[in-house]
Amino acid sequence: MFGAVFGDVIGSYYELEGTKNYDFELHRESTFTDDTVLTVAVCKAILENPKNITGLKLWDRAREYAAQYKLYYSRYPCAGFGQMFTLWAKDSGFTKVPSYGNGAAMRVVPIGFAYDDINQVMLQAKASCLYTHNNKEAIKGAQSVAAAVFMARKGSRKEEIRSFVQKTFGYDLSYTIDEIREDYCFEIRCDTSVPQAIVAFLDSYDYESAVRNAISLGGDSDTQATIAGGIAQAYYQEIPKHLSDFCLSRIDGTLKDVIREFEGKYLSNN
């Protein structure tokens, strides 16, 4: 999980500033954002109820994820949440929002680590979307990220991950980061930001290069680096100490405690 949240921290400065420079500097203004908060909310939902579900229990599980989103929003309301999510989180009810944004995909990395069956991963990822991103593109984006994490931690080769995501979700992953960097711009739609984040991982050679690839697109840097960083942690199973030292000091202690509990339960056996 730290692979995802470190991507968020490193990318946070560049979400507004933007950069096409792969060799960008780490900035002291960097901090965790809503990407980290909601990733931790998913961790907490899984820790409190790790059981598998069937399609019949999909909406019950969706309610559990949604309850954690609302709880963690209330604890960190200034973490950079979007307006649509904020209005939903503040409402006392559990309405369904048809958002197609990449917020559905930025928080699902824990699902790819926690479950040992690809069909369960897909069900859980869908459940995590149903209240805040009740939209087929958002669900597809979330499922593609969770599936990529699952396959990466299970030892699949990059070409196997690429092929599965392309065939299952219809994303074009045939390009390289260098081929799209110059013309790519800020996007929050799942279908125009999630595939690029997955390619940032596919085009990498270690954890840091995956995060740098994602941020150097000059797009939604924190979210795309969260996605690429989460998959990269599952695949490379190593995060450089200088990045860990930089990021840990910028993450709230309570959030770190939940991540450590989750990693202790799910990553130590991978």
Side-chain angles (χ1 to χ4, degrees):
M1 288 321 90
F2 280 116
V5 301
F6 290 173
D8 175 40
V9 171
I10 296 167
S12 63
Y13 175 84
Y14 292 101
E15 182 181 21
L16 297 178
E17 297 296 323
T19 184
K20 298 286 186 176
N21 180 16
Y22 175 87
D23 296 312
F24 60 83
E25 296 180 0
L26 302 180
H27 276 268
R28 63 182 180 181
E29 295 90 344
S30 300
T31 187
F32 72 90
T33 76
D34 58 322
D35 298 53
T36 291
V37 173
L38 293 180
T39 296
V40 172
V42 171
C43 288
K44 193 67 173 178
I46 294 169
L47 287 168
E48 291 194 352
N49 180 9
K51 294 180 180 179
N52 288 352
I53 59 169
T54 64
L56 294 175
K57 294 293 185 179
L58 190 65
W59 280 98
D60 291 340
R61 184 56 169 157
R63 181 74 171 238
E64 293 174 351
Y65 283 118
Q68 291 295 337
Y69 301 155
K70 284 179 176 285
L71 176 61
Y72 274 85
Y73 169 81
S74 71
R75 292 175 177 174
Y76 301 93
C78 299
F81 294 93
Q83 183 178 15
M84 185 181 296
F85 182 90
T86 297
L87 291 173
W88 173 84
K90 286 182 174 180
D91 187 84
S92 60
F94 284 83
T95 56
K96 296 187 287 291
V97 180
S99 172
Y100 49 72
N102 56 22
M106 74 186 187
R107 64 198 183 198
V108 297
V109 168
I111 292 173
F113 277 103
Y115 296 96
D116 287 322
D117 175 79
I118 187 63
N119 294 321
Q120 188 62 210
V121 168
M122 302 282 259
L123 269 177
Q124 294 283 344
K126 183 175 183 178
S128 75
C129 297
L130 290 179
Y131 280 102
T132 61
H133 294 79
N134 197 292
N135 177 284
K136 65 179 183 180
E137 286 298 332
I139 293 170
K140 184 169 75 171
Q143 289 179 323
S144 67
V145 173
V149 172
F150 170 81
M151 294 181 72
R153 78 173 176 90
K154 288 294 187 179
S156 295
R157 293 179 292 106
K158 287 184 180 180
E159 286 310 309
E160 292 174 320
I161 297 171
R162 188 194 308 272
S163 177
F164 179 85
V165 172
Q166 288 190 140
K167 290 178 180 179
T168 306
F169 304 105
Y171 289 150
D172 177 13
L173 305 179
S174 63
Y175 50 83
T176 68
I177 289 296
D178 288 341
E179 288 171 340
I180 66 166
R181 182 182 287 114
E182 182 177 355
D183 296 325
Y184 188 76
C185 57
F186 191 97
E187 295 280 359
I188 62 167
R189 292 183 64 103
C190 264
D191 59 343
T192 51
S193 60
V194 171
Q196 292 77 10
I198 295 173
V199 169
F201 155 71
L202 292 171
D203 220 18
S204 69
Y205 55 86
D206 61 7
Y207 174 83
E208 183 168 1
S209 65
V211 170
R212 287 188 174 277
N213 280 343
I215 294 171
S216 68
L217 284 171
D220 192 0
S221 299
D222 57 340
T223 293
Q224 290 180 297
T226 296
I227 293 169
I231 305 170
Q233 180 185 13
Y235 187 83
Y236 297 112
Q237 299 181 24
E238 184 176 6
I239 299 173
K241 186 177 185 300
H242 71 279
L243 294 184
S244 180
D245 290 345
F246 174 82
C247 294
L248 282 173
S249 65
R250 290 165 169 80
I251 303 170
D252 175 84
T254 301
L255 298 176
K256 285 189 286 190
D257 288 344
V258 175
I259 297 167
R260 286 177 174 136
E261 181 183 359
F262 185 92
E263 288 202 341
K265 181 171 183 179
Y266 292 107
L267 273 67
S268 60
N269 296 322
N270 292 317

